């Protein structure tokens, strides 16, 4: 059973930066992961994909964050990162780390929540104007 634990959230002013981390554990083979991703969900809104990375390091980003956010993965430390720059107030949300197994059945796209089968508990990001 994969466990994901996010950290690094907090409060920042508009234009500021934060770096989120997601520690992964409980898996026997790192090649079982097909993709890892970051999602966010604001109150009253659907969960949306922010960024994803495959096991070969290829990345995908939502159009709204391209050029400002960067996803990366440290395999030695089994940690996923999301560097967020030039943050906007409308990006205030709970940010979640997600994992897709190689054998996962549902595929709805790199940034679709349905494509991922393990989730962390989330870390809150608040951006003030």
């Amino acid at each position: 059973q994969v466990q994901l634990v996010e950290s690094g959230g907090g409060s920042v002013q508009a234009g500021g930066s934060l770096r989120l981390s997601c520690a992964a554990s409980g898996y026997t083979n790192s090649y079982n992961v097909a993709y890892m991703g970051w999602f966010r969900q604001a109150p009253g809104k659907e969960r949306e994909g922010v960024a994803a990375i495959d096991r070969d390091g290829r990345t995908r980003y939502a159009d709204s964050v391209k050029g400002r956010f960067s996803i990366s993965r440290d395999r030695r430390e089994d940690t996923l990162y999301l560097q967020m720059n030039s943050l906007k107030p409308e990006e205030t949300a709970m940010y979640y780390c997600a994992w897709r197994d190689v054998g996962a059945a549902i595929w709805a796209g790199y940034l679709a929540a349905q494509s991922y089968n393990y989730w962390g508990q989330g870390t809150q990001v608040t951006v003030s104007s």
Side-chain angles (χ1 to χ4, degrees):
Q1 183 77 4
V2 176
Q3 291 92 42
L4 304 172
V5 179
E6 302 95 334
S7 62
S11 297
V12 65
Q13 289 191 329
S17 298
L18 282 173
R19 188 192 195 202
L20 305 183
S21 300
C22 172
S25 63
Y27 57 91
T28 57
N29 187 335
S30 64
Y31 284 93
N32 284 342
V33 61
Y35 293 94
M36 294 188 75
W38 287 99
F39 290 74
R40 63 190 178 192
Q41 188 168 19
K45 295 188 177 181
E46 292 188 357
R47 191 168 296 190
E48 64 169 336
V50 174
I53 186 168
D54 69 16
R55 57 185 176 181
D56 295 321
R58 290 175 292 230
T59 58
R60 302 285 193 283
Y61 295 94
D63 288 343
S64 60
V65 306
K66 283 180 180 177
R68 298 186 299 118
F69 289 15
S70 178
I71 188 171
S72 60
R73 182 185 175 198
D74 185 331
R75 284 189 174 177
R76 291 177 304 169
E77 296 185 356
D78 296 331
T79 303
L80 181 72
Y81 300 99
L82 183 68
Q83 177 67 42
M84 305 186 295
N85 299 325
S86 301
L87 281 161
K88 304 174 182 179
E90 56 265 37
E91 294 178 313
T92 293
M94 187 72 78
Y95 282 69
Y96 297 91
C97 172
W99 167 302
R100 173 184 171 85
D101 275 342
V102 169
I106 299 173
W107 176 248
Y110 301 101
L111 298 178
Q114 306 94 305
S115 300
Y116 293 80
N117 50 339
Y118 293 102
W119 293 86
Q121 294 300 306
T123 185
Q124 178 68 36
V125 172
T126 302
V127 185
S128 58
S129 58

